[in-house]
Amino acid sequence: MFTGKNSAADASQIKLTVTAKTRASNDVVALTLARPDGRRLPDWTPGSHVDVVLPSGISRQYSLCGDRWDAHSYRIAVLHETEGRGGSAYIHEQLTEGTMIALGGPRNNFPLVPSEKYLFIAGGIGITPMLPMLQQADMLGADWKLLYLGRSRATMAFLDELSAYGDRVSVMPKDESGPCRLEEFSGGDAADTKVYVCGPQRMLTAVERHCADWPVGLLRLEHFAAKAQGAPARDTAFEVELARAGLSVTVSPDLSILDALHNAGVHVLTSCREGTCGTCEVTVLAGEPDHRDSLLGDADRAAGHCMFPCVSRSCSDRLVLDL
């Protein structure tokens, strides 16, 4: 899974070499990445993603989809986006084995929480964060099943790997199975099931609608792109106080909090600038955030302890941030 915007280099990035480039489906390639000196890589957990900075300087976020117990290599998979802005086209058409790239992270906004029963639903390239989740759930002996949707088998990545799980995996290409009926797959009793979903927005919307009356906390989504948002809570300026810096910044209606901070010389690490990657998360010490991201769940929004200043704003006249 990915989202992406241009991003400045981050001092915490590491340099990795593309050690293998293989085809996972007609329009998906898998990249294996490792340190040139063979040293171990940072540990990660299922659901994690990394920031990949291409030689052109463009940054994109991709889910880690390899073996989390392999300490010396990462694997990502990249869908060729024909209507994209060039990142996936470069990876598919120009990036070669031996190329050096920069990488930031890993970060996890889609963690696998403990449960005795899981339902995983993946659409297209949304299978990537699910692969290590399946491995983890299987290793722990959980009761799980996967519904994998796609246009056709030729476009669906990693089918060979998934075949090892037998009938726990339901592969439903649209050209063979037609539209999927979620109610037939998920069953009626969801009280003890954690549901993880990643894929196109239309699929996420359908799942949210289907699970609308399920208990809070059972459904967990990862978005390809930012969710549609209504108008901000206020259309007037507000103050952002930086507790550690002893500085107060006025945020006008035409500026994001992030841009207002940057204009004042306060640089917060960011990547997607659309509330999907989680890079710019900050702690809120006082005030009421107007959450406009695609990451936080209802409980975290209500608590108001953190926010993403690239897109979120303020309901109150003043916000105090731990910066």
Side-chain angles (χ1 to χ4, degrees):
M1 195 229 45
F2 74 92
T3 58
K5 297 287 184 181
N6 292 346
S7 174
D10 168 16
S12 67
Q13 290 170 353
I14 57 177
K15 297 290 188 179
L16 299 183
T17 301
V18 179
T19 59
K21 179 181 179 181
T22 59
R23 188 156 295 280
S25 75
N26 280 1
D27 51 6
V28 175
V29 295
L31 303 179
T32 303
L33 311 171
R35 291 183 188 266
D37 58 8
R39 288 187 298 132
R40 68 175 292 131
L41 294 165
D43 294 336
W44 57 281
T45 54
S48 295
H49 72 270
V50 290
D51 301 310
V52 174
V53 184
L54 300 173
S56 63
I58 292 175
S59 174
R60 298 289 185 266
Q61 290 80 48
Y62 297 100
S63 296
L64 289 171
C65 61
D67 181 0
R68 62 169 296 210
W69 305 111
D70 179 354
H72 297 91
S73 69
Y74 287 158
R75 185 178 70 171
I76 61 172
V78 182
L79 171 68
H80 194 173
E81 295 276 6
T82 56
E83 302 299 322
R85 291 170 292 110
S88 68
Y90 176 87
I91 290 173
H92 274 253
E93 299 166 10
Q94 300 182 52
L95 192 69
T96 60
E97 293 183 13
T99 301
M100 189 84 73
I101 61 174
L103 183 142
R107 284 185 294 277
N108 198 341
N109 303 314
F110 194 43
L112 185 69
V113 300
S115 179
E116 294 184 358
K117 189 173 182 179
Y118 297 99
L119 168 59
F120 301 102
I121 304 176
I125 196 63
I127 191 62
T128 51
M130 303 299 184
L131 294 176
M133 291 187 180
L134 303 184
Q135 183 186 33
Q136 181 84 356
D138 206 52
M139 182 183 70
L140 295 175
D143 179 9
W144 65 267
K145 56 185 176 179
L146 166 70
L147 172 61
Y148 185 14
L149 308 175
R151 298 192 311 275
S152 66
R153 289 181 185 272
T155 65
M156 299 170 74
F158 304 113
L159 290 179
D160 288 347
E161 290 184 24
L162 291 170
S163 66
Y165 293 117
D167 60 7
R168 286 189 171 193
V169 174
S170 297
V171 177
M172 297 187 66
K174 189 174 182 180
D175 64 349
E176 297 178 18
S177 308
C180 174
R181 295 178 61 85
L182 290 171
E183 62 274 14
E184 295 177 359
F185 186 82
S186 61
D189 184 9
D192 60 347
T193 304
K194 293 287 194 304
V195 182
Y196 282 79
V197 191
C198 185
Q201 185 59 48
R202 64 183 180 279
M203 187 191 83
L204 301 185
T205 300
V207 173
E208 284 184 300
R209 188 182 304 116
H210 173 68
C211 302
D213 59 349
W214 287 17
V216 174
L218 293 184
L219 179 62
R220 296 164 184 265
L221 308 177
E222 183 163 57
H223 293 265
F224 281 152
K227 296 171 64 175
Q229 303 284 347
R234 59 186 296 157
D235 58 5
T236 57
F238 56 91
E239 295 296 311
V240 172
E241 181 181 330
L242 311 182
R244 285 186 280 128
L247 178 68
S248 184
V249 176
T250 299
V251 182
S252 60
D254 61 329
L255 278 182
S256 68
I257 295 176
L258 193 69
D259 287 337
L261 295 179
H262 283 189
N263 290 347
V266 179
H267 297 286
V268 177
L269 183 63
T270 185
S271 183
C272 75
R273 287 183 170 266
E274 56 185 20
T276 59
C277 75
T279 304
C280 67
E281 180 178 353
V282 296
T283 298
V284 178
L285 302 177
E288 182 183 356
D290 175 14
H291 295 293
R292 304 177 61 76
D293 62 88
S294 302
L295 291 165
L296 294 178
D298 292 340
D300 288 327
R301 288 171 180 264
H305 297 322
C306 66
M307 68 180 298
F308 301 95
C310 64
V311 292
S312 295
R313 302 189 67 77
S314 180
C315 297
S316 52
D317 292 336
R318 174 174 159 272
L319 282 177
V320 182
L321 305 180
D322 186 22
L323 291 171

